[in-house]
Amino acid sequence: SDARFFFDEDRKVSLESWVESLKAVVYQQKLGTSYEKMERFKALAGQLADQLNPSIKEQALRTAFLCKADLVTGMVGEFPEVQGIMGREYALHDGEPQEVANAIAEHYYPTQAGGKLPGSDIAAFVSIADKLDTICGCFSVGLIPTGAADPYALRRATIGIISIIQDKGYKLSLSGLIDSSLALLADKLTRPAETVKAELMEFFRGRFVNLLSAIRQTDVVEACVAAGFDDLADCTIRVQA
């Protein structure tokens, strides 16, 4: 009965109308509000679309704009485990395209190692952008995982990005992606961008080697990565070869 009440109340207004409320939600003290985060990864998703599939750029931008709106709805406030799922349902209720609605739910994928990956380019671009903003943002203000703690799940987010790029075979420059993300975070940086980027590249390298070493000999993986891993999809193919 609680769920029915919140569901009915939430649908009295459009999903888009909730986006403004994200301005009052602090994502992280040093990184600003959830609305600011959305604006950053929306821009990044647009850049990914420009590079890889310009025909779906508008849908990617729309997905990025709406995908966090359900976080401030009554339903997700009461039942946090349905975030993304409710975004999809409310988007469909509002008449948003099916592709956008599905991508709102799938931009959280993968939710665990080896988990389901985004099905469409729209969802994949937004997922990569959102996760990369989280990783780059945290490193930018010194919130770096330790052996004992990773409160922002940065390792999982990094593995998610790598897995999506491998699955889709996207031809991307990892260093270029990081540069783009750090540029959008310029007013939040508390450490030199060059230092942050070097740490991020090494962080990605560690996760990438671990993933590949699970399916290939470690010395083969290390040799291929040493020859360059900026293009993750290309390096994966070289390891397989």
Side-chain angles (χ1 to χ4, degrees):
S1 60
D2 282 353
R4 168 59 67 186
F5 170 77
F6 288 120
F7 184 59
D8 290 340
E9 286 298 303
D10 287 345
R11 289 187 302 160
K12 289 179 180 178
V13 296
S14 67
L15 183 64
E16 183 173 359
S17 70
W18 293 98
V19 175
E20 191 72 15
S21 301
L22 294 172
K23 292 180 177 178
V25 178
V26 176
Y27 162 64
Q28 203 284 327
Q29 192 174 9
K30 295 178 181 178
L31 295 171
T33 65
S34 291
Y35 189 91
E36 289 177 281
K37 175 176 172 57
M38 178 273 290
E39 288 190 307
R40 290 194 301 266
F41 74 72
K42 178 185 171 189
L44 204 54
Q47 292 177 27
L48 284 166
D50 283 335
Q51 289 182 57
L52 297 167
N53 189 351
S55 67
I56 54 102
K57 181 177 181 179
E58 290 307 313
Q59 291 169 304
L61 293 174
R62 184 66 176 167
T63 299
F65 181 70
L66 293 174
C67 70
K68 301 299 183 186
D70 69 341
L71 296 179
V72 286
T73 62
M75 185 71 142
V76 176
E78 189 70 14
F79 306 104
E81 63 273 19
V82 294
Q83 64 182 23
I85 297 167
M86 295 320 302
R88 178 184 64 209
E89 297 309 312
Y90 293 155
L92 289 172
H93 177 262
D94 294 345
E96 296 289 343
Q98 183 78 52
E99 297 81 7
V100 169
N102 288 343
I104 288 171
E106 291 182 10
H107 92 280
Y108 285 108
Y109 294 175
T111 55
Q112 59 190 36
K116 191 175 182 182
L117 297 171
S120 68
D121 281 345
I122 302 168
F125 296 163
V126 177
S127 180
I128 291 170
D130 181 23
K131 291 173 173 61
L132 190 64
D133 178 78
T134 299
I135 299 161
C136 291
C138 287
F139 270 72
S140 296
V141 296
L143 299 173
I144 301 170
T146 63
D150 184 9
Y152 291 91
L154 303 188
R155 290 186 181 89
R156 188 177 73 192
T158 303
I159 290 168
I161 290 172
I162 294 168
S163 298
I164 293 168
I165 290 173
Q166 288 176 321
D167 179 63
K168 299 291 189 185
Y170 290 150
K171 301 290 288 180
L172 287 166
S173 164
L174 177 60
S175 64
L177 272 181
I178 290 172
D179 284 338
S180 296
S181 185
L182 291 178
L184 292 163
L185 283 155
D187 62 335
K188 306 292 186 186
L189 290 172
T190 61
R191 308 166 65 230
E194 300 76 22
T195 303
V196 174
K197 182 180 178 180
E199 291 173 350
L200 285 163
M201 290 296 288
E202 185 55 33
F203 191 69
F204 266 90
R205 182 192 177 282
R207 310 286 82 70
F208 188 50
V209 167
N210 286 346
L211 274 177
L212 290 174
S213 295
I215 56 172
R216 290 289 184 273
Q217 289 170 256
T218 303
D219 58 345
V220 171
V221 173
E222 290 283 2
C224 292
V225 170
F229 69 100
D230 191 46
D231 183 335
L232 296 173
D234 176 73
C235 189
T236 301
I237 293 167
R238 280 188 279 122
V239 169
Q240 290 167 343

